[in-house]
Coordinates of all heavy atoms in Angstrom, one line a residue:
C69 N 13.5 2.7 20.5 CA 14.8 3.1 20.0 C 15.8 3.2 21.2 O 16.9 2.7 21.2 CB 14.8 4.3 19.2 SG 14.0 4.1 17.6
Q70 N 15.3 3.8 22.3 CA 16.2 4.0 23.5 C 16.4 2.6 24.1 O 17.6 2.3 24.5 CB 15.5 4.9 24.5 CG 15.5 6.3 24.0 CD 16.9 6.9 23.8 OE1 17.7 6.9 24.6 NE2 17.1 7.4 22.5
E71 N 15.4 1.8 24.2 CA 15.5 0.5 24.9 C 16.5 -0.4 24.0 O 17.3 -1.2 24.6 CB 14.2 -0.2 24.9 CG 14.2 -1.6 25.4 CD 14.6 -1.8 26.9 OE1 14.5 -0.8 27.7 OE2 15.0 -2.9 27.2
L72 N 16.4 -0.4 22.7 CA 17.2 -1.2 21.9 C 18.6 -0.6 21.5 O 19.4 -1.3 20.9 CB 16.4 -1.6 20.6 CG 15.2 -2.4 20.9 CD1 14.4 -2.6 19.6 CD2 15.5 -3.8 21.5
G73 N 18.7 0.7 21.8 CA 20.0 1.4 21.4 C 20.2 1.5 19.9 O 21.3 1.4 19.5
T74 N 19.1 1.8 19.2 CA 19.2 2.0 17.8 C 18.1 2.9 17.3 O 17.1 3.0 17.9 CB 19.2 0.6 17.0 OG1 19.3 0.8 15.6 CG2 17.9 -0.1 17.3
F75 N 18.3 3.5 16.1 CA 17.2 4.2 15.5 C 16.5 3.4 14.4 O 15.6 3.9 13.8 CB 17.7 5.6 14.9 CG 18.8 5.4 13.9 CD1 18.5 5.3 12.5 CD2 20.1 5.4 14.2 CE1 19.4 5.1 11.6 CE2 21.1 5.2 13.3 CZ 20.8 5.1 11.9
K76 N 16.9 2.2 14.2 CA 16.3 1.3 13.2 C 15.6 0.2 13.9 O 16.2 -0.5 14.7 CB 17.3 0.8 12.2 CG 17.9 1.7 11.3 CD 18.9 1.1 10.4 CE 19.5 2.1 9.4 NZ 20.5 1.5 8.5
L77 N 14.3 0.1 13.7 CA 13.4 -0.9 14.4 C 13.1 -2.0 13.5 O 12.0 -2.6 13.6 CB 12.2 -0.2 15.0 CG 12.5 0.8 16.1 CD1 11.2 1.4 16.6 CD2 13.3 0.2 17.3
D78 N 14.0 -2.4 12.6 CA 13.7 -3.6 11.8 C 13.6 -4.8 12.6 O 14.2 -4.9 13.7 CB 14.8 -3.8 10.7 CG 16.2 -3.7 11.3 OD1 16.5 -2.9 12.1 OD2 17.0 -4.6 10.8
G79 N 12.7 -5.7 12.2 CA 12.4 -6.8 13.1 C 11.3 -6.5 14.1 O 10.9 -7.5 14.9
C80 N 10.8 -5.3 14.1 CA 9.8 -4.9 15.1 C 8.4 -4.7 14.4 O 8.3 -4.4 13.2 CB 10.2 -3.6 15.8 SG 11.6 -3.8 16.8
V81 N 7.4 -4.8 15.2 CA 6.0 -4.5 14.8 C 5.5 -3.3 15.6 O 5.7 -3.3 16.9 CB 5.1 -5.7 15.0 CG1 3.7 -5.4 14.6 CG2 5.7 -6.9 14.3
L82 N 4.9 -2.3 15.0 CA 4.2 -1.2 15.6 C 2.7 -1.6 15.8 O 2.1 -1.9 14.8 CB 4.3 0.1 14.9 CG 3.5 1.2 15.3 CD1 3.8 1.6 16.8 CD2 3.6 2.4 14.4
V83 N 2.3 -1.7 17.0 CA 0.9 -2.1 17.3 C 0.2 -0.8 17.9 O 0.7 -0.3 18.9 CB 0.8 -3.2 18.2 CG1 -0.6 -3.7 18.5 CG2 1.7 -4.4 17.7
S84 N -0.9 -0.4 17.3 CA -1.6 0.8 17.8 C -3.1 0.5 18.1 O -3.7 -0.3 17.3 CB -1.4 1.9 16.7 OG -2.1 3.1 17.1
S85 N -3.6 1.3 19.0 CA -5.0 1.2 19.3 C -5.9 1.7 18.2 O -7.0 1.4 18.0 CB -5.4 1.9 20.6 OG -5.1 3.2 20.5
C86 N -5.3 2.5 17.3 CA -6.0 3.2 16.2 C -5.1 3.3 15.0 O -3.8 3.4 15.2 CB -6.5 4.6 16.7 SG -7.6 5.4 15.4
E87 N -5.6 3.4 13.9 CA -4.8 3.6 12.6 C -4.0 4.8 12.8 O -4.4 5.9 13.1 CB -5.8 3.8 11.4 CG -5.2 4.0 10.1 CD -6.2 4.1 9.0 OE1 -7.4 4.3 9.3 OE2 -5.7 4.1 7.8
P88 N -2.7 4.6 12.5 CA -1.8 5.7 12.7 C -2.1 6.9 11.7 O -2.4 6.7 10.5 CB -0.4 5.1 12.3 CG -0.6 3.7 12.6 CD -2.0 3.4 12.3
C89 N -2.0 8.1 12.2 CA -2.2 9.3 11.4 C -0.9 9.3 10.4 O 0.0 8.6 10.6 CB -2.2 10.5 12.3 SG -0.6 11.0 13.0
P90 N -1.0 10.2 9.4 CA 0.1 10.3 8.5 C 1.5 10.6 9.2 O 2.5 10.0 8.8 CB -0.3 11.5 7.6 CG -1.7 11.4 7.6 CD -2.1 11.0 9.0
M91 N 1.5 11.4 10.2 CA 2.8 11.6 10.9 C 3.3 10.4 11.5 O 4.5 10.0 11.4 CB 2.6 12.7 12.0 CG 3.9 12.9 12.8 SD 3.7 14.0 14.2 CE 2.7 13.1 15.3
C92 N 2.5 9.6 12.2 CA 2.9 8.4 12.9 C 3.3 7.3 11.9 O 4.2 6.6 12.1 CB 1.8 7.9 13.8 SG 1.5 9.0 15.2
L93 N 2.5 7.3 10.8 CA 2.9 6.3 9.7 C 4.2 6.6 9.1 O 5.1 5.8 8.9 CB 1.8 6.3 8.7 CG 1.8 5.2 7.7 CD1 1.8 3.8 8.4 CD2 0.6 5.3 6.7
S94 N 4.5 7.9 8.9 CA 5.8 8.3 8.4 C 6.9 8.0 9.4 O 8.0 7.6 9.1 CB 5.8 9.8 8.2 OG 5.0 10.2 7.1
S95 N 6.6 8.2 10.7 CA 7.6 7.8 11.8 C 7.9 6.3 11.7 O 9.0 5.9 11.9 CB 7.0 8.2 13.1 OG 6.9 9.6 13.2
A96 N 6.9 5.5 11.5 CA 7.1 4.1 11.4 C 7.9 3.7 10.2 O 8.8 2.8 10.3 CB 5.7 3.4 11.3
L97 N 7.7 4.4 9.1 CA 8.5 4.2 7.9 C 10.0 4.6 8.2 O 10.9 3.9 7.8 CB 8.0 5.0 6.7 CG 6.7 4.5 6.1 CD1 6.1 5.6 5.2 CD2 6.9 3.2 5.4
W98 N 10.2 5.8 8.8 CA 11.5 6.2 9.2 C 12.2 5.2 10.1 O 13.4 5.0 10.0 CB 11.5 7.6 9.7 CG 11.6 8.7 8.7 CD1 10.6 9.5 8.3 CD2 12.6 9.0 7.8 NE1 10.9 10.3 7.3 CE2 12.2 10.0 6.9 CE3 13.9 8.5 7.6 CZ2 13.0 10.6 5.9 CZ3 14.7 9.1 6.6 CH2 14.3 10.1 5.8
A99 N 11.4 4.7 11.0 CA 12.0 3.7 12.0 C 12.3 2.4 11.4 O 12.9 1.5 12.0 CB 11.1 3.6 13.2
R100 N 11.7 2.1 10.2 CA 12.0 0.9 9.5 C 11.3 -0.3 10.2 O 11.9 -1.4 10.1 CB 13.4 0.6 9.2 CG 14.3 1.7 8.6 CD 13.8 2.1 7.2 NE 14.8 2.8 6.4 CZ 14.8 4.1 6.3 NH1 13.9 4.8 6.9 NH2 15.7 4.7 5.6
V101 N 10.2 -0.1 10.8 CA 9.5 -1.3 11.4 C 9.1 -2.2 10.3 O 8.9 -1.8 9.1 CB 8.3 -0.9 12.3 CG1 8.7 0.0 13.5 CG2 7.2 -0.2 11.5
D102 N 8.9 -3.5 10.6 CA 8.6 -4.4 9.6 C 7.1 -4.3 9.2 O 6.8 -4.6 8.0 CB 8.8 -5.9 10.1 CG 10.3 -6.3 10.1 OD1 11.1 -5.4 9.8 OD2 10.6 -7.4 10.5
R103 N 6.2 -4.0 10.1 CA 4.8 -3.8 9.8 C 4.1 -3.1 10.9 O 4.6 -2.9 12.0 CB 4.1 -5.2 9.5 CG 4.2 -6.1 10.6 CD 3.9 -7.6 10.1 NE 4.2 -8.5 11.2 CZ 3.3 -9.0 11.9 NH1 2.0 -8.8 11.7 NH2 3.6 -9.9 12.9

Side-chain angles (χ1 to χ4, degrees):
C69 289
Q70 292 300 305
E71 175 67 23
L72 297 173
T74 182
F75 59 89
K76 291 183 181 178
L77 296 179
D78 49 320
C80 294
V81 180
L82 170 61
V83 182
S84 181
S85 64
C86 186
E87 181 179 8
C89 74
M91 177 186 70
C92 293
L93 193 54
S94 294
S95 297
L97 289 166
W98 276 109
R100 309 295 198 263
V101 299
D102 285 2
R103 58 198 170 100

